[in-house]
Amino acid sequence: QEDFVESGGGLVQPGGSLRLSCAASRTIFSMNDMGWYRQAPGKEREWVALLTRSGYTNYANSVKGRFTLSRDNAKNTVDLQMNDLKPEDTAVYYCNAWPVRHYSWGQGTQVTVSS
């Protein structure tokens, strides 16, 4: 069983928006700060955004001002709202604890930004 389940990806034109969602168990959710990560073709996986249990957020410079995190403690989900998408945002997006611990990675969700 996967520790994290990501959803919401798809194909979008440059300038468009997508909302990704990450679901995890209550235990994982309550014990960890949460992050979103992405891996573009031929590149290493990179950190994208962080949302702590106290509500602090931080974003990679490449997405700052365009991506926004939110957390639903009742549903044990962390959503990533992505606006003004660019072709360089094309990647498989994953969520995991921040920092990454012993949890397994989910399947991720593919985001493709193309005209």
Side-chain angles (χ1 to χ4, degrees):
Q1 185 173 348
E2 296 170 335
D3 289 320
F4 305 96
V5 178
E6 301 91 351
S7 62
L11 172 64
V12 63
Q13 292 186 342
S17 297
L18 282 174
R19 187 176 184 89
L20 307 184
S21 186
C22 167
S25 71
R26 181 180 298 275
T27 299
I28 291 175
F29 207 72
S30 64
M31 293 179 62
N32 293 279
D33 300 331
M34 297 296 294
W36 276 92
Y37 307 80
R38 68 186 181 186
Q39 186 166 19
K43 295 189 176 182
E44 297 276 327
R45 183 151 42 200
E46 64 176 357
W47 167 77
V48 174
L50 158 68
L51 175 57
T52 70
R53 285 159 288 176
S54 62
Y56 169 79
T57 57
N58 196 15
Y59 302 89
N61 287 335
S62 59
V63 307
K64 199 168 291 186
R66 301 187 295 121
F67 290 12
T68 305
L69 278 167
S70 61
R71 185 169 182 141
D72 188 328
N73 292 324
K75 296 180 180 179
N76 300 326
T77 58
V78 177
D79 288 358
L80 183 67
Q81 176 66 41
M82 306 187 298
N83 298 327
D84 189 24
L85 283 161
K86 305 177 185 299
E88 52 264 40
D89 294 318
T90 294
V92 179
Y93 284 70
Y94 304 87
C95 65
N96 207 310
W98 188 92
V100 176
R101 302 183 190 279
H102 59 279
Y103 304 111
S104 62
W105 291 93
Q107 295 293 315
T109 185
Q110 176 70 49
V111 171
T112 302
V113 185
S114 175
S115 55

